[in-house]
Amino acid sequence: MRRGARPLFCKGEDSGRRRAWAALIGLVLAFAAPPTLATPVPSSESATEAASRIWLWPDRTAPGSQRVAARQAIVERSDDPALPDRIVTGVTQPYLVVYRPSRADGSALLVIPGGGYERVVLDKEGTALVPAFVERGGVTLFVLRYRLPGDGHENTRDAPLADAQRALRLVRTRAGEWNLDPARIGVLGFSAGGHVAASLGTRFDERVYAPVDAHDEASARPDFMALIYPVIDMGEGVRCAATGRGAPGRPSTDVRTGLPGSDDRHAKAQHEVCAPVFHPGSRERLLGAAPLPEHVTAYSLQTRIRAGTPPTFLLHAADDDAVPVENSLVFHRALRRAGIPAELHVYPHGGHGFGVRGTAGTSLALWPQMAIAWMRETGGARAAEAAKAPDRSDIGQTSVVAPAKAGAQ
């Protein structure tokens, strides 16, 4: 403590003052927290959203979902009309909702919201993006309502990917309807939706459904990929923190920044505690409670990167206690090894699920502008060239951003 500074509370200080401060802090946090309903209530889409729907499949119900008992439903979790927080569950008839700018720049993003493979978040990682990306950025957004693996679909582990492939192909083949450049169509995924997006970026030419019409002749490869606090790992990776000296260890991860903190020689003088980095809920819903080792490897997407994986933008908070930052770190490391252009931004604070709402007043609020600038620099012909020449020397950028006190979800 600097000379002359006084701590907030001193030893022996009156406990009444402590209680008053605690009450004040609690009041501030209560007002800062997003309003939530004790019991979610049935909701729906707006008339504008309903009018802009694009059904993915010719018969609306997706192939392999005809016998699913789940009922598609939207519920509202917020009691503040200005901050809606709808989710959809039980999707059997997946579709896109289109948000078009008044002055389009020709680019598009297939947006895949998160929800832990249990639900699809419609507002925090969907409609909340419209001001920054659509109104100010000129980007056309296609927000996906996709099937979830726990609902009993055929080929259930790949049902979300099948919807993402089909959606990308539809946007590309119908690009002229929205004045889009078919070579500037990317994907933006959040959390578990980031796992779907990264699956699309690494498995775009893998057949996970039988073609149903001419749209399926188009490529499902995104021209660029933006992943925001994504689920990547399913059990292949670990994070290790040094707890002291005197025992052999593995290269550690600096727990303050989430970045590699030591080399092998230093690690051997450390005792380290290691833990897996996968998100338990997402893994169990996708792969089951006791997944086979081959499934763990196949769905840990850092193992699926190859030539043709699109240029990638990664954003994560180092203090994310739901989906550890190592998910982005291992993916970025694999992209670099494969020679895929990649940009990584790690913020010290922000937690999980901040989207665009949980960033007000912080430098983290700039991430949509950074992503749009990166899209414009990366997109189009240069992205296609990068995919054809994965051994190029321009293999990545890493940005560890100075402290920003970002809000939690």
Side-chain angles (χ1 to χ4, degrees):
M1 183 181 298
R2 72 183 188 275
R3 183 175 299 177
R6 183 177 184 273
L8 183 60
F9 301 114
C10 298
K11 186 175 181 179
E13 190 171 16
D14 177 63
S15 60
R17 187 181 176 195
R18 292 172 182 258
R19 287 194 298 270
W21 272 103
L24 177 60
I25 291 169
L27 186 63
V28 170
L29 291 176
F31 277 103
T36 57
L37 292 167
T39 302
V41 298
S43 185
S44 62
E45 291 179 334
S46 69
T48 302
E49 289 172 325
S52 70
R53 285 178 187 161
I54 300 172
W55 302 98
L56 296 191
W57 303 98
D59 297 325
R60 292 198 178 182
T61 300
S65 298
Q66 290 83 356
R67 298 181 181 180
V68 172
R71 297 295 180 187
Q72 198 156 318
I74 297 174
V75 298
E76 175 61 77
R77 302 186 296 179
S78 170
D79 64 2
D80 184 349
L83 293 172
D85 185 19
R86 297 168 300 165
I87 60 171
V88 62
T89 57
V91 175
T92 57
Q93 298 184 344
Y95 59 95
L96 296 163
V97 172
V98 187
Y99 299 91
R100 301 183 65 183
S102 57
R103 298 183 65 181
D105 72 354
S107 68
L109 281 170
L110 170 62
V111 179
I112 309 182
Y117 277 130
E118 185 176 27
R119 63 187 73 85
V120 179
V121 175
L122 301 184
D123 293 304
K124 290 200 295 183
E125 295 161 356
T127 59
L129 304 174
V130 170
F133 282 87
V134 180
E135 296 171 1
R136 294 192 293 272
V139 181
T140 303
L141 298 185
F142 296 81
V143 183
L144 179 63
R145 282 74 163 134
Y146 57 95
R147 289 174 293 164
L148 299 164
D151 289 339
H153 310 279
E154 295 176 14
N155 194 23
T156 187
R157 287 188 298 271
D158 287 333
L161 175 58
D163 291 343
Q165 286 185 354
R166 175 71 177 179
L168 201 293
R169 287 173 171 138
L170 284 176
V171 174
R172 177 160 284 139
T173 55
R174 297 176 58 181
E177 297 178 29
W178 302 288
N179 297 318
L180 301 176
D181 181 346
R184 295 174 61 204
I185 298 171
V187 64
L188 169 62
F190 298 82
S191 194
H195 190 268
V196 181
S199 298
L200 181 63
T202 55
R203 302 173 58 197
F204 52 86
D205 57 358
E206 186 175 325
R207 179 171 289 188
V208 293
Y209 68 91
V212 295
D213 56 28
H215 295 294
D216 291 322
E217 297 175 9
S219 171
R221 177 187 178 272
D223 294 299
F224 39 84
M225 179 163 61
L227 307 177
I228 314 302
Y229 40 83
V231 172
I232 295 294
D233 184 72
M234 287 289 154
E236 287 285 301
V238 295
R239 56 176 169 173
C240 300
T243 60
R245 304 182 67 86
R250 302 171 61 175
S252 66
T253 298
D254 187 316
V255 296
R256 295 164 298 172
T257 64
L259 293 174
S262 62
D263 59 21
D264 288 329
R265 289 174 299 172
H266 179 68
K268 289 178 181 178
Q270 301 274 348
H271 175 66
E272 294 183 317
V273 177
C274 297
V277 301
F278 63 84
H279 179 242
S282 295
R283 185 174 95 151
E284 182 170 348
R285 294 176 195 111
L286 185 67
L287 303 181
L292 297 173
E294 55 266 34
H295 290 161
V296 169
T297 299
Y299 290 86
S300 292
L301 298 175
Q302 70 270 31
T303 70
R304 306 301 291 268
I305 292 170
R306 57 193 175 85
T309 299
T312 303
F313 177 98
L314 290 152
L315 177 77
H316 221 119
D319 65 353
D320 190 329
D321 60 2
V323 178
V325 67
E326 283 79 8
N327 282 266
S328 284
L329 300 181
V330 296
F331 199 70
H332 182 257
R333 192 173 303 122
L335 289 165
R336 286 179 58 86
R337 283 199 301 265
I340 306 298
E343 183 167 309
L344 168 67
H345 297 271
V346 176
Y347 282 75
H349 305 292
H352 187 72
F354 48 79
V356 294
R357 290 179 178 172
T359 64
T362 74
S363 58
L364 188 53
L366 298 174
W367 81 257
Q369 295 169 246
M370 295 191 301
I372 293 169
W374 171 84
M375 284 169 52
R376 289 173 178 162
E377 181 179 330
T378 304
R382 277 172 289 182
E385 290 169 4
K388 295 176 184 176
D391 59 343
R392 58 183 286 186
S393 59
D394 176 19
I395 59 174
Q397 302 178 46
T398 302
S399 170
V400 181
V401 183
K405 189 179 178 183
Q409 93 178 45

